[in-house]
Amino acid sequence: RYLDVLLGSPGSSILFLIQAPLIAFCISLAFNGVGQATSTFHYVLIISAIWMGCVNACQEIVKERAIYQRERIFDLNILSYVYSKLKILSIFGFIQCLTLFLIVNHFIHLKGNIIFFFFTLFLACLGGITLGLILSALVNSPDKALMLAPVLTIPQIVFSELLIPEKYLTSTAGLVEKLMLSKWAQLALEEIAKNSPSYLEIVKDLSILLLFSVLYLTLTAFILKLTDRFAK
């Protein structure tokens, strides 16, 4: 049903898909003079993937809250409902990340295993999708969801060793940094780009990214369960 709704709104589907090429061309234009991938380049790609995922998902629950509440009366399973959102949004995210990757790879020399490189971007996007679903479950209007999306994505930028030297990322700031999707995606891409990468480290970083997505999805279902109680 969710896929039919999206396909029934071509404008939304086009907006979903047009983001990636526009972002990819901007990144390629900005880094074309560099000629090869750098830590900053990796970071920009990761933030772009997280942002696309979060923005795509942040309105997808709240905009049909009335339909959801009606279907819950007839025993709609919350996990199945959330999974249906994730499944379709993941397909769009996969297409977006593939588009982003192919365009950028055409202009900038990417180092390392391209399969792991792409998979890292996709898992970052997946994390952004699940973050967006949390937001969509919390707010009561689509406009609020869109306005609050930067609140979830800006910390991914701020809490980073690229902006704050590691020696200052201590205590609370260091803990928050470890909770950022961008940290683990960045570590994965940096390892992938090495001449002799440790695939054990790459798998560890990607596993942490995937774990965050599972936790965020579970939290989304928990929030929806709580809203059922308040609705009663």
Side-chain angles (χ1 to χ4, degrees):
R1 180 183 63 84
Y2 178 46
L3 180 59
D4 290 338
V5 170
L6 283 178
L7 293 179
S9 178
S12 298
S13 300
I14 291 172
L15 287 176
F16 265 133
L17 299 176
I18 201 173
Q19 295 178 64
L22 290 177
I23 292 172
F25 281 120
C26 285
I27 294 173
S28 300
L29 180 63
F31 287 90
N32 191 44
V34 178
Q36 62 180 358
T38 63
S39 294
T40 305
F41 171 78
H42 290 157
Y43 186 61
V44 171
L45 281 179
I46 290 163
I47 295 301
S48 299
I50 294 172
W51 169 255
M52 287 190 300
C54 187
V55 169
N56 289 351
C58 69
Q59 296 180 308
E60 294 308 302
I61 292 177
V62 66
K63 73 181 183 182
E64 57 176 35
R65 183 61 58 85
I67 297 173
Y68 164 79
Q69 290 174 342
R70 184 175 68 246
E71 292 186 351
R72 278 292 288 159
I73 296 174
F74 298 98
D75 294 325
L76 171 69
N77 184 278
I78 293 178
L79 285 176
S80 296
Y81 174 76
V82 173
Y83 175 69
S84 72
K85 296 291 183 186
L86 178 67
K87 182 168 61 175
I88 302 305
L89 288 168
S90 296
I91 294 172
F92 277 98
F94 184 91
I95 295 171
Q96 286 179 313
C97 287
L98 184 60
T99 304
L100 178 68
F101 172 79
L102 290 175
I103 293 176
V104 167
N105 189 41
H106 177 74
F107 293 100
I108 309 294
H109 174 63
L110 301 180
K111 297 180 180 178
N113 187 301
I114 60 173
I115 301 299
F116 277 103
F117 197 106
F118 168 74
F119 197 54
T120 301
L121 288 183
F122 176 64
L123 284 182
C125 181
L126 190 67
I129 289 170
T130 52
L131 269 178
L133 289 176
I134 290 176
L135 178 58
S136 195
L138 283 171
V139 298
N140 57 14
S141 78
D143 290 340
K144 288 181 181 178
L146 202 54
M147 286 188 292
L148 290 173
V151 175
L152 294 182
T153 52
I154 287 177
Q156 306 287 336
I157 302 172
V158 173
F159 292 96
S160 165
E161 291 181 13
L162 287 177
L163 297 183
I164 305 174
E166 186 178 2
K167 63 181 180 180
Y168 297 117
L169 284 171
T170 58
S171 187
T172 304
L175 177 61
V176 173
E177 187 220 7
K178 289 180 174 61
L179 297 175
M180 296 295 105
L181 297 166
S182 55
K183 172 185 174 62
W184 304 104
Q186 178 77 9
L187 286 175
L189 288 189
E190 292 299 301
E191 190 66 36
I192 290 167
K194 290 180 179 178
N195 292 328
S196 300
S198 168
Y199 287 99
L200 184 61
E201 285 296 313
I202 295 170
V203 170
K204 182 197 75 173
D205 295 333
L206 296 184
S207 297
I208 292 173
L209 272 177
L210 186 58
L211 178 60
F212 271 117
S213 294
V214 173
L215 290 175
Y216 292 157
L217 201 66
T218 304
L219 182 56
T220 301
F222 179 71
I223 293 169
L224 287 174
K225 185 67 176 178
L226 286 180
T227 60
D228 284 350
R229 295 182 180 180
F230 287 119
K232 293 177 181 178

